[in-house]
Amino acid sequence: MSDFVITAPAVPSVAVAGSNARFPVRRVFCVGRNYASHAREMGSDPNREPPFFFTKPADAVVPASATVPYPTETTDLHHEVELVVALGVGGANVSPDEALKMVWGYGVGLDLTRRDLQSAAKDTGRPWDMAKGFDASAPCSELHPVGQVGYPAKGRIWLEVNGELRQQGDLGEMIWPVADVISYLSRFVKLAPGDLIYSGTPSGVAALVPGDRVRGGVDGVGSFELEIGEQ
Ligand code: MN
């Protein structure tokens, strides 16, 4: 037993479908603009520039169920539905051919974004952290092991708010497929078991308000349903 001067924080974790065991979260990496349609709606050139990454704290990951709180300090909270990749094996400088061997499983998550703060950060050249990495900013569904869902390269990714379809795309439209994302990211950091990668969102991002019911999913992987809490 280690001698910590305060109580050690709990290990953040994600539920695993069909199991009582949980997936421990080490770090959360997010890919920016990985679908051409979303790159275009954000005013960017969807040509195949190298992917870029930002991070969220591990404890920003919360269940994508029940109620997710509406965060403070924003009036423009956006949904971004994303395929979540959970790594069970680490590695550095991994080739795209080897990358998928590191994947433990997949889930579906939300990269919640204070879009107003992100726009201000872009305008001023400041970091995105408070726009992207706030408390409960990374709701995630149960994870499904690759033994059950394989390595999905195609499949509809979608999000509904109050029964209305807001986002729809296909995993096959990713500018950088999951293997390439893992390979590229592993050049910058040594990836480790427990790392999650939120792999980008298709077009249709828009604002959520308290009381919204949000359903999202990736066909062949899984789905979630949650409510946005009061401000
Ligand atoms: Mn995103």
Side-chain angles (χ1 to χ4, degrees), residues 11 14 21 23 25 31 40 64 66 76 82 99-100 127 129 134 139 145 149 152 158 168-169 172 177 193 209 218:
V11 176
V14 184
F23 182 91
V25 179
V31 186
R40 264 185 232 108
D76 197 19
E82 311 206 353
L100 291 183
D129 299 50
F134 50 90
V149 297
W158 55 273
Q168 180 164 243
V209 296
V218 175

Side-chain angles (χ1 to χ4, degrees), residues 28-34 38 42 52-57 60-62 64 68 71 76-84 108-115 118 128-141 157 159 167 197-202 205-206 208 214 224 226 228:
V28 180
F29 298 98
C30 303
V31 186
R33 297 192 283 258
N34 200 22
H38 176 59
M42 298 304 287
F52 71 92
F53 300 93
F54 56 91
T55 62
K56 299 192 185 226
V61 178
V62 295
V68 170
D76 197 19
L77 176 68
H78 274 208
H79 52 74
E80 298 188 358
V81 65
E82 311 206 353
L83 176 73
V84 179
V108 188
L110 278 178
D111 165 16
L112 289 175
T113 302
R114 287 166 167 147
R115 194 71 73 200
Q118 187 195 30
W128 288 8
D129 299 50
M130 292 303 110
K132 288 288 198 178
F134 50 90
D135 296 343
S137 59
C140 188
S141 75
I157 179 169
L159 181 129
Q167 290 192 261
I197 302 172
Y198 282 60
S199 58
T201 198
V205 301
L208 293 166
V214 183
F224 66 82
L226 59 84
I228 300 299

